[in-house]
Amino acid sequence: SSLNTLEKADKGQIKIDDVTKDFTVKDRQNTRDLILKTAMVFQGHALFDNMTVLQNVIEGLIRVKKMDREAATKIGLSTLDRVGLSDRANYYPVQLSGGQQQRAGIARAMAMQPELLLFDKPTSALDPELVGEVLSAMKELAQEGHTMIVVTHEM
């Protein structure tokens, strides 16, 4: 997870498109630029329980990308539709199955329009019958040409 700076490397560089992060140099703007190139889908969903699914998806657009709520909501609803959750936009995470929660996490990452999607064991916290729906969403992303790095135990 040094790719999105959740873990700080001691040395080395990461280059994504036109952004190079040199970990031997302290440069906040450069770090922010790298973060904006990536989005993470976590193993345990990492959704905010006190926010609706739509609020979870648009939070980064508003806080990180400084987008106005109306534009963020439009992107959020479109992204939720892409992962088959448009009918769950106003639900809270606790009201969703594990697979739906993980797809909400994928929608949150996709909404940020990153160059690189990072998946940290996206199916390991799911019941076996829910794994297929998450893998199907990921397969669609791959078919659309999204660049992904996936850490998984799936065969």
Side-chain angles (χ1 to χ4, degrees):
S1 55
S2 290
L3 288 171
N4 63 354
T5 71
L6 286 177
E7 294 285 336
K8 188 175 180 312
D10 296 327
K11 58 184 175 178
Q13 293 181 342
I14 294 173
K15 181 176 173 83
I16 300 176
D17 287 337
D18 59 338
V19 174
T20 300
K21 170 65 179 164
D22 183 343
F23 285 97
T24 60
V25 177
K26 292 192 188 274
D27 181 355
R28 292 183 72 141
Q29 182 61 44
N30 193 263
T31 300
R32 178 177 162 71
D33 291 343
L34 181 65
I35 291 168
L36 289 173
K37 293 279 188 182
T38 65
M40 181 91 175
V41 178
F42 296 92
Q43 175 179 350
H45 320 306
L47 299 172
F48 296 107
D49 291 332
N50 62 332
M51 294 180 168
T52 66
V53 170
L54 178 60
Q55 289 169 327
N56 268 281
V57 171
I58 67 173
E59 186 71 11
L61 294 173
I62 293 169
R63 290 192 185 259
V64 177
K65 289 199 167 185
K66 308 297 185 206
M67 193 175 285
D68 69 76
R69 185 168 295 280
E70 186 176 331
T73 299
K74 186 176 178 181
I75 290 170
L77 290 171
S78 172
T79 307
L80 285 171
D81 186 52
R82 288 181 62 200
V83 297
L85 289 177
S86 57
D87 62 334
R88 300 287 192 261
N90 294 314
Y91 284 53
Y92 286 88
V94 70
Q95 297 172 299
L96 303 178
S97 71
Q100 290 170 328
Q101 287 179 27
Q102 194 64 304
R103 285 187 287 139
I106 293 170
R108 177 181 54 197
M110 288 172 42
M112 296 297 286
Q113 300 168 330
E115 299 294 320
L116 178 61
L117 282 163
L118 307 170
F119 289 85
D120 179 21
K121 296 178 253 171
T123 60
S124 66
L126 301 176
D127 292 332
E129 64 269 11
L130 301 176
V131 169
E133 69 183 65
V134 173
L135 292 178
S136 176
M138 292 172 66
K139 185 176 181 180
E140 285 181 35
L141 290 173
Q143 289 170 339
E144 291 170 7
H146 291 277
T147 302
M148 299 181 284
I149 294 178
V150 182
V151 175
T152 184
H153 296 293
E154 290 292 324
M155 298 301 283

